[in-house]
Amino acid sequence: MASRSINIQSDDGKSFSGYLSLPPTGSGPGIILIQEIFGVNQHIRAVADQYAMAGYVVLAPDMFWRLEPGFDVGYSPADMQKAISLMQQLDAEKAVKDLTSAVQTLRALPECTGKIASVGYCMGGRLSFLCAANAGVDAAVCYYPGGIEGQLGQVDKVKCPIMFHFAQNDDHISMDAVAAVKTAFAGRSNATIEVYPSVDHGFNCWARPSYHQSTAALAHGRSLSLLATALG
């Protein structure tokens, strides 16, 4: 497995970086991996490598490049405060355009030989949903997508398979928000919505106290199953 940083050309003539992780075979279907608010940090790079080991060409773009390029922090209170500040400044419309550019960049790589999905966590989960609606991905996975209830007007634009992973005890996403997602996708065969009991926000991140191994493994397996079916 090999990894490197690559440049992504934005739609407004600039460029930003992305972490590219290749599978052991060197080629395969693609994944746009969308960061949490903590940047393309050690954990996100490890998750990219994890999906690469499953056979995917994974690109994790720097979503904060317009605000603070290369932002990469851990999970201390000070890190959290700074990360929240950047998230609040993020221009969602520009972020979706940047993700569309990342999708186009990944499709053009010779190593990417198949379809492309987006997979995102927290802020990245919401952006993965917006990728499904706007960026031309072939599937999407959204882990505990914060603020998703404010984006449901775009549900009709989601034509590809999409999977949501929610935590029942999430102190950032209420069960009312989850219910709104279920209502918005009611009757649509392309959506799968999973709710995991007795776990909290961030259950997939092994670097955080909220990590829950068995739930993370179950959700990861379900995500891989969707990706295998949707990307072929």
Side-chain angles (χ1 to χ4, degrees), residues 28-221:
I31 291 176
I32 296 292
L33 186 71
I34 313 174
Q35 64 178 70
E36 296 177 294
I37 62 175
F38 309 101
V40 184
N41 64 3
Q42 183 178 16
H43 176 254
I44 290 297
R45 295 192 299 272
V47 172
D49 294 344
Q50 182 184 34
Y51 278 107
M53 285 298 295
Y56 296 95
V57 176
V58 187
L59 177 59
D62 178 3
M63 297 311 302
F64 285 152
W65 71 276
R66 295 181 183 272
L67 301 168
E68 188 171 326
F71 183 70
D72 174 349
V73 296
Y75 307 97
S76 71
D79 291 337
M80 181 74 74
Q81 184 176 8
K82 175 63 174 177
I84 290 174
S85 174
L86 289 175
M87 177 189 67
Q88 291 172 341
Q89 297 175 65
L90 186 72
D91 184 316
E93 184 175 345
K94 288 182 178 179
V96 171
K97 289 181 178 179
D98 290 339
L99 284 165
T100 302
S101 296
V103 170
Q104 293 168 349
T105 296
L106 182 55
R107 286 197 193 279
L109 291 177
E111 296 92 343
C112 185
T113 57
K115 295 180 179 180
I116 292 176
S118 60
V119 178
Y121 302 83
C122 188
M123 177 190 79
R126 181 177 74 251
L127 291 174
S128 184
F129 166 75
L130 294 176
C131 267
N134 301 284
V137 295
D138 301 295
V141 178
C142 312
Y143 277 78
Y144 28 84
I148 185 67
E149 65 275 17
Q151 305 291 334
L152 296 177
Q154 302 207 41
V155 164
D156 286 345
K157 296 161 66 177
V158 178
K159 307 301 183 184
C160 66
I162 187 167
M163 176 174 284
F164 294 91
H165 299 295
F166 289 106
Q168 186 180 58
N169 294 347
D170 198 320
D171 57 0
H172 300 286
I173 304 172
S174 69
M175 285 298 100
D176 286 341
V178 176
V181 174
K182 290 181 176 180
T183 298
F185 279 97
R188 298 174 185 268
S189 61
N190 63 320
T192 303
I193 301 168
E194 305 286 359
V195 181
Y196 300 92
S198 304
V199 295
D200 202 348
H201 192 87
F203 64 76
N204 185 73
C205 181
W206 52 80
R208 300 174 68 177
S210 55
Y211 174 62
H212 194 267
Q213 182 275 326
S214 60
T215 301
L218 178 59
H220 185 62

